[in-house]
């Protein structure tokens, strides 16, 4: 079993990294106990019926939850080998098990922080108010190890549709779930969950995953290969499995979603939700706000960590490749041009840090 120590991966152009004390990387183990069912059968609707009927935001006021802020966690003073220093802007928000951060559209200097246990906290970036509980999904989230509430994203039209999206793992048999809730700028209605897509998981690790909205207005979701070690079911290379993929979904104005018509398998020969494939455990994505480019960190197996620029229809090589090196070429194409190799890869050191 290999477990990665989390590291801080915040980027800046100078020696000062402004942040809120977020640790955005997760541990990754290769020998989990399998879920009760190890059959990987994607459960989305590849032929989802388009609908133009928008969901009306909640008309009545949303009752906001209350809770005491969680205990503070430690902070990291530097990034090894990079010469950076981290200066927390919100020391009181430097909590343990913080996994995601999102600005609240339509507000000034306000954001939410997602914790692995299912809590979502609203914080002020200028210190004008203390942390307040935005929502608590603990009753439906299976948390621990590589499971939990993994990502949160606001609709690009949040000010008019009041939608917030979450990606989390649910208890036995541990499916990965993308859901939508209605929310105001100060809290969300946890009773009004709409499940967008649910993907069965054969093991408890390699759940991915991140959700971001692109400049095209579509929602992107990264999913791991299903877990264990070495992708034993070869899910990442299978266009009929949603595991080991980046999905692209049109959720704007839809009750659930429809498949964008230019997705690579929208016309058949695979699941239409897939945007890119051949990924092991794509833990975090970043959308370049100037160019629209998608950058993704894919956690390695035993030797290499990699960073990829994700493009439409790209096959990023796992399990055929780990980084630039061949890993398991059983059933793989011998044509190297069929794979998109990393933009950068680095060898795992003695402390086994994940990208």
């Amino acid at each position: 079993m290999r477990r990665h120590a989390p590291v801080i991966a915040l980027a800046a152009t100078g020696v000062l990294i402004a942040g809120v004390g977020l640790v955005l990387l997760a541990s990754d183990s290769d020998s989990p106990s399998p879920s009760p069912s190890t059959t990987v059968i994607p459960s989305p609707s590849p032929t989802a019926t388009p609908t133009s009927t928008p969901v009306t935001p909640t008309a009545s006021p949303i009752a906001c939850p209350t809770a005491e802020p969680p205990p503070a966690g430690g902070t990291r003073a530097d990034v090894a080998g990079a010469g950076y220093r981290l200066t927390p802007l919100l020391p009181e928000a430097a909590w343990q098990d913080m996994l995601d951060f999102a600005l609240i559209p339509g507000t000034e200097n306000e954001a939410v922080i997602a914790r692995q246990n299912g809590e979502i906290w609203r914080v002020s970036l200028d210190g004008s108010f203390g942390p307040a509980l935005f929502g608590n999904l603990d009753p439906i989230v299976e948390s621990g190890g590589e499971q939990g509430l993994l990502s949160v994203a606001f609709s690009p039209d949040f000010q008019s549709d009041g939608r917030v999206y979450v990606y989390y793992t649910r208890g036995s048999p541990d499916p990965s779930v993308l859901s939508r809730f209605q929310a105001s700028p100060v809290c969300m209605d946890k009773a009004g969950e709409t499940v967008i897509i649910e993907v069965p998981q054969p093991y408890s690790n390699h759940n991915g995953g991140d959700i971001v909205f692109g400049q095209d207005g579509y929602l992107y979701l990264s999913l791991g290969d299903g877990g264990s070690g070495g992708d034993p079911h070869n899910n990442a290379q299978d266009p009929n499995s949603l595991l080991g993929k980046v999905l692209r979904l049109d959720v704007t104005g839809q009750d659930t979603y429809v498949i964008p018509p230019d997705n690579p398998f929208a016309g058949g020969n695979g699941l239409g939700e897939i945007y890119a494939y051949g990924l092991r455990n794509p833990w975090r994505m970043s959308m370049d706000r100037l160019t629209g480019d998608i950058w993704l960190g894919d956690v390695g197996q035993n030797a290499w960590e990699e960073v990829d620029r994700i493009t439409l229809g790209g096959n990023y090589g796992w399990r055929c490749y780990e980084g630039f090196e061949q890993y398991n070429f059983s059933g793989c194409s011998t044509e190297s041009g069929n794979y998109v190799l990393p933009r950068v890869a680095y060898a795992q050191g003695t402390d086994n840090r994940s990208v």
Side-chain angles (χ1 to χ4, degrees):
M1 179 174 69
R2 180 171 66 85
R3 183 170 297 278
H4 298 291
V7 297
I8 293 175
L10 300 176
T13 56
V15 296
L16 181 65
I17 298 179
V20 294
L22 284 178
V23 176
L24 295 182
L25 302 187
S27 62
D28 175 51
S29 58
D30 282 341
S31 300
S33 299
S35 297
S37 171
T38 59
T39 302
V40 184
I41 304 175
S43 61
S45 173
T47 57
T49 302
T51 173
S52 59
T53 304
V55 175
T56 304
T58 303
S60 59
I62 296 173
C64 297
T66 59
E68 291 296 321
T75 59
R76 193 177 175 91
D78 60 77
V79 179
Y84 294 115
R85 293 193 306 273
L86 302 181
T87 300
L89 297 180
L90 297 171
E92 73 277 8
W95 304 323
Q96 295 178 354
D97 64 24
M98 296 162 55
L99 294 187
D100 209 359
F101 171 90
L103 297 172
I104 302 175
T107 65
E108 294 185 3
N109 299 314
E110 293 185 24
V112 295
I113 290 169
R115 300 185 68 207
Q116 186 179 9
N117 67 356
E119 294 176 357
I120 304 174
W121 289 82
R122 183 170 65 99
V123 296
S124 168
L125 302 183
D126 60 8
S128 59
F129 61 85
L133 192 60
F134 185 82
N136 186 5
L137 304 180
D138 177 75
I140 62 174
V141 170
E142 180 76 13
S143 178
E146 295 180 34
Q147 298 179 308
L149 174 59
L150 302 181
S151 190
V152 59
F154 289 93
S155 164
D157 301 319
F158 177 72
Q159 290 175 264
S160 60
D161 65 22
R163 292 177 168 186
V164 60
Y165 295 83
V166 298
Y167 173 64
Y168 67 93
T169 54
R170 194 163 57 211
S172 178
D174 305 323
S176 290
V177 182
L178 171 68
S179 285
R180 183 186 75 236
F181 293 85
Q182 292 300 133
S184 73
V186 295
C187 65
M188 59 184 275
D189 179 10
K190 70 176 184 179
E193 180 180 17
T194 298
V195 174
I196 305 300
I197 197 168
E198 183 175 298
V199 183
Q201 294 281 358
Y203 302 94
S204 62
N205 64 336
H206 300 188
N207 297 286
D210 205 2
I211 51 175
V212 296
F213 279 93
Q215 289 185 344
D216 53 14
Y218 295 138
L219 183 148
Y220 292 77
L221 164 63
S222 62
L223 285 162
D225 64 10
S228 186
D231 194 3
H233 304 288
N234 202 22
N235 291 316
Q237 290 296 313
D238 182 0
N240 291 301
S241 169
L242 295 182
L243 298 171
K245 312 296 193 297
V246 171
L247 312 185
R248 182 171 70 157
L249 310 174
D250 181 359
V251 297
T252 302
Q254 314 298 334
D255 184 47
T256 55
Y257 71 92
V258 297
I259 294 169
D262 61 336
N263 275 9
F265 300 109
N269 300 318
L271 296 179
E273 292 85 351
I274 296 170
Y275 181 80
Y277 61 111
L279 297 161
R280 180 179 179 273
N281 192 23
W283 167 240
R284 281 295 176 261
M285 292 185 290
S286 179
M287 191 73 65
D288 189 309
R289 285 177 285 181
L290 295 179
T291 66
D293 290 344
I294 304 171
W295 293 91
L296 179 148
D298 197 13
V299 178
Q301 175 71 31
N302 295 318
W304 297 98
E305 306 291 323
E306 67 181 62
V307 176
D308 300 295
R309 185 166 80 82
I310 301 300
T311 57
L312 179 70
N315 179 353
Y316 291 84
W318 176 252
R319 67 182 182 180
C320 305
Y321 285 90
E322 180 191 7
F324 295 100
E325 305 293 333
Q326 291 187 11
Y327 178 79
N328 180 348
F329 238 59
S330 175
C332 298
S333 170
T334 58
E335 298 293 329
S336 60
N338 291 338
Y339 306 104
V340 182
L341 295 180
R343 296 300 294 267
V344 66
Y346 67 86
Q348 295 170 7
T350 55
D351 52 3
N352 289 331
R353 289 177 182 168
S354 301
V355 62

